[in-house]
Amino acid sequence: MNNRLPWQGLKVRIHFLFWIVILWAVVMGRFLEIVTLFVLVIIHEMGHATAAWSLGWRMGTLELLPFGGVVKTDEWGSVPIHEELIVALSGPFHNVMMILAGGLFMWIGWWDQEWTRYFVHLNAMLVGFNLLPIYPLDGGRVMQALLGYVLPYREAVAWSVKISTVAAGMLMVWGWIGGIHVNLVMIAVFLLHANWQAWRQREFQFMRFLVNRKNHPPPPSSRLVTLRVSPRATLLSVVKTWRKEAYHVIMVRGTRRVIPEEAVLARLLDHSEHDRRIGDL
């Protein structure tokens, strides 16, 4: 770790949607409420940043959004699943701690009941919204990580984006039902755009997973997965079935040949032989 504190080297950006929400709150005379939201979002995101920093992740950019934020690092998809779950859930965990702290402050008489109710409600809204199964919200990241347990990594990424897109579309429809909820519609538009970008970048994310796999092979304790493939299968089609936190051994049908995953990665990445048949190795 190069930095002694989680926020050192972390660049903070505020999304234009956050400025719109701030302007709207000022016009409506709700400045105190928006300041409270801003502070809670900061605490939420520092929960993510602190967890990522403690796990040795490289810190990049923190972008603040009206409903939370996004800590951008180079580690998503290239670290163990349990680390992704810890970082994704650390933000909502801090909001839960704020709820408990608010209840304690009311109990000892520091806060009145009305303010505590608002404080608890705002934290609960942040927790509930961020845990929706929509990428890049915390719930979407949790969904993608959990799908990685049961699906090949490439499929887990694709399915998480598909589910997130449908859920974001439903959120937009909800924003139009019973009157137009401007904030909700804007957030839904942002989430749809984020998932469109994630869909376009899914192959890049998959290739980054393979490169990291080559540079950091799975530990000996990883589960062993045996793949029985046709000798005519291409190297690229074989690696598309690989899972996270597993070591793959490829058995070529009709032969006695057993090929370790290192040999496949070397041919695929070092020699760019994507269309080479596995039976030719």
Side-chain angles (χ1 to χ4, degrees), residues 228-244:
R228 293 174 173 82
V229 302
S230 167
R232 293 177 294 179
T234 64
L235 300 186
L236 184 59
S237 67
V238 171
V239 298
K240 286 181 178 180
T241 64
W242 286 9
R243 300 170 182 266
K244 292 190 68 174

Side-chain angles (χ1 to χ4, degrees), residues 71-85:
V71 176
K72 298 181 180 179
T73 74
D74 294 328
E75 316 301 333
W76 290 109
S78 61
V79 295
I81 293 175
H82 74 273
E83 289 191 14
E84 293 183 343
L85 292 175

Side-chain angles (χ1 to χ4, degrees), residues 119-159:
F119 184 80
V120 170
H121 174 75
L122 196 55
N123 275 285
M125 289 291 292
L126 285 173
V127 172
F129 191 86
N130 276 279
L131 288 181
L132 291 175
I134 306 175
Y135 185 87
L137 298 180
D138 301 333
R141 295 186 183 276
V142 169
M143 175 180 62
Q144 187 174 108
L146 294 179
L147 286 175
Y149 276 116
V150 296
L151 295 174
Y153 181 70
R154 185 173 179 273
E155 291 186 25
V157 172
W159 273 108

Side-chain angles (χ1 to χ4, degrees), residues 19-31 33-35:
W19 292 117
I20 293 177
V21 172
I22 291 176
L23 178 61
W24 180 257
V26 171
V27 171
M28 298 299 294
R30 303 183 63 179
F31 182 75
E33 287 84 347
I34 199 61
V35 169

